[in-house]
Amino acid sequence: MMTRLFGSTLVALTLLSGGALAAERTVRLTVENMTCETCPIVVRQSLKAVPGVGYVKVSMAEKSAVVTFDDAKATVAALVEATTKTGFPSAQQQ
């Protein structure tokens, strides 16, 4: 009985989630045009404004940003778009 209840609950949760389970994902972006102390702050704010983004660390010295996000709510393309719109074009590091 308990196994049947658990299985039914799991199926219901999967259906409610649209069939896909969200995963936390971390990417490193190269970020252009950071030339002053306030640039990393602007880049960080633009990335944090993307729904699903949890953690952001921006390094002016390395010209990069490390971003952890929920891949059911955000995409790398959305992160790149967010920085680019604020004047800091970025791309995912391979």
Side-chain angles (χ1 to χ4, degrees):
M1 176 70 175
M2 186 61 108
T3 303
R4 182 179 289 162
L5 179 60
F6 178 75
S8 297
T9 303
L10 184 59
V11 169
L13 288 174
T14 301
L15 292 173
L16 288 173
S17 70
L21 299 177
E24 187 174 84
R25 185 170 166 203
T26 300
V27 295
R28 179 181 293 269
L29 304 174
T30 56
V31 183
E32 299 177 25
N33 300 342
M34 288 196 291
T35 58
C36 69
E37 293 176 14
T38 59
C39 292
I41 296 168
V42 174
V43 171
R44 183 177 188 281
Q45 289 174 339
S46 71
L47 290 167
K48 289 289 279 183
V50 176
V53 169
Y55 171 82
V56 178
K57 181 178 179 186
V58 180
S59 170
M60 190 169 98
E62 295 178 12
K63 305 286 189 217
S64 69
V66 175
V67 185
T68 300
F69 61 98
D70 178 340
D71 71 356
K73 297 179 182 176
T75 63
V76 174
L79 303 176
V80 168
E81 181 180 1
T83 63
T84 301
K85 282 184 174 181
T86 57
F88 301 94
S90 64
Q92 182 177 359
Q93 288 184 355
Q94 300 302 324

